[in-house]
């Protein structure tokens, strides 16, 4: 296997009259993009396509009641700055191959690792040439919390700051299968990438409770970040689709 709706962190949104410039990245196989769109009609249409891809073995009895739920999630994300949101679903079964050499598909009942992934553009007070300064400010703010695991990144698209946080939650017995209070450990990696093309910072967030697969999720996020670009790719480039349409 090769990555909270609204990102959190030290950046405070500033009033801005402009939309953020475009950003491109390559989402891995196994990501199912939530139906974000400008109009309610388009969100509803995308939700119906989304549930058919997510529950590919289902039918109308599954898809019809599920679509309004994901439409509502997309509605809640409107105006939060999130331009891309996806669910990642990955089999935890050992990789096997068919006699033809293809990777065998496993039923979700055999085990699935899940994650949530979002991209948001947060307005920040910067000139186009100050990406290092903005990244240094983010790094300083995040390292002030001793529970954060903060790392400076030099990506192909420019400087960035990665922050990993772990949380342990106590689940109420009413929501657990066993009917007993249960500890739930979650992990989040959030990467702040200042735009070189405008006064914004891109915030990539991956959140999961499947912490047994954390190393793979970190590798996945690293692979995604290597593909981030703030300049339009050529027509034959696999990144030719903007992030909000990926």
């Amino acid at each position: 296997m090769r990555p909270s709706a609204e990102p959190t962190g030290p950046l405070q949104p500033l009033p801005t009259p402009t939309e953020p410039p475009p950003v491109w990245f390559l989402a891995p196989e196994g990501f199912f993009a939530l139906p974000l769109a400008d109009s309610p009609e388009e969100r509803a249409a995308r939700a119906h396509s989304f549930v058919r891809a997510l529950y590919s073995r289902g039918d109308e009895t599954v898809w019809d009641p599920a679509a309004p739920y994901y439409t509502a999630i997309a509605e809640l994300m409107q105006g939060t700055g999130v331009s891309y949101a996806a669910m990642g679903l990955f089999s935890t079964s050992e990789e096997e191959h068919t006699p033809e050499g293809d990777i065998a598909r496993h039923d979700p009942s055999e085990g699935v690792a899940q994650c949530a992934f979002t991209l948001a553009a947060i307005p920040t007070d910067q000139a186009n040439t100050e990406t290092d300064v903005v990244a240094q400010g983010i790094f300083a703010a995040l390292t002030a919390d001793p529970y954060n695991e903060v790392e400076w990144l030099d990506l192909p698209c420019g400087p960035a700051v990665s922050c990993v946080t772990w949380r342990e939650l106590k689940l109420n017995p009413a929501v657990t299968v066993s009917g007993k209070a249960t500890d739930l450990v979650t992990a989040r990696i959030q990467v702040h990438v200042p735009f070189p093309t405008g006064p914004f910072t891109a915030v990539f967030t991956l959140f999961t409770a499947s912490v047994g697969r954390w190393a793979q999720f970190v590798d996945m996020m690293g692979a995604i970040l290597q593909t981030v670009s703030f300049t339009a790719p050529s027509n034959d480039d696999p990144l030719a689709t903007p992030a909000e349409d990926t």
Side-chain angles (χ1 to χ4, degrees):
M1 181 175 64
R2 295 225 342 133
S4 69
E6 187 172 4
T8 59
L11 298 177
Q12 296 300 315
L14 299 173
T16 176
T18 61
E19 291 295 318
V23 55
W24 290 261
F25 70 95
L26 189 61
E29 183 181 359
F31 270 24
F32 298 87
L34 290 167
L36 304 184
D38 291 332
S39 70
E41 295 77 16
E42 189 174 0
R43 285 192 289 271
R46 290 189 180 188
H48 282 281
S49 299
F50 171 80
V51 296
R52 282 164 171 74
L54 184 64
Y55 306 110
S56 59
R57 299 188 182 183
D59 54 27
E60 281 74 10
T61 61
V62 174
W63 300 329
D64 289 348
Y69 170 77
Y70 291 106
T71 301
I73 291 179
E75 294 278 356
L76 291 173
M77 289 186 178
Q78 284 300 110
T80 64
V82 173
S83 60
Y84 178 84
M87 294 175 57
L89 301 176
F90 306 94
S91 171
T92 58
S93 300
E94 292 298 320
E95 186 173 285
E96 300 174 0
H97 291 79
T98 66
E100 293 74 25
D102 298 325
I103 295 177
R105 296 288 181 177
H106 294 276
D107 190 272
S109 62
E110 298 178 43
V112 173
Q114 304 181 45
C115 71
F117 178 81
T118 62
L119 165 62
I122 305 300
T124 44
D125 189 12
Q126 74 200 62
N128 291 356
T129 57
E130 293 179 341
T131 53
D132 276 339
V133 174
V134 174
Q136 288 166 8
I138 295 169
F139 186 89
L142 290 171
T143 52
D145 186 337
Y147 294 101
N148 289 339
E149 301 173 18
V150 185
E151 183 180 357
W152 180 276
L153 303 176
D154 288 308
L155 302 178
C157 64
V161 179
S162 167
C163 179
V164 173
T165 54
W166 292 76
R167 296 287 184 268
E168 184 173 328
L169 308 173
K170 181 75 72 175
L171 296 182
N172 189 298
V175 299
T176 64
V177 174
S178 65
K180 300 178 181 179
T182 304
D183 292 332
L184 175 68
V185 177
T186 65
R188 184 189 71 177
I189 180 170
Q190 193 169 71
V191 181
H192 303 256
V193 188
F195 277 69
T197 52
F200 291 86
T201 292
V203 183
F204 295 85
T205 303
L206 186 150
F207 175 88
T208 185
S210 302
V211 294
R213 297 281 169 157
W214 180 242
Q216 291 96 324
F217 283 127
V218 170
D219 289 344
M220 183 186 302
M221 176 66 102
I224 292 172
L225 294 171
Q226 291 297 311
T227 71
V228 174
S229 175
F230 295 102
T231 58
S234 60
N235 291 334
D236 58 351
D237 192 298
L239 299 181
T241 304
E244 58 266 26
D245 296 326
T246 300

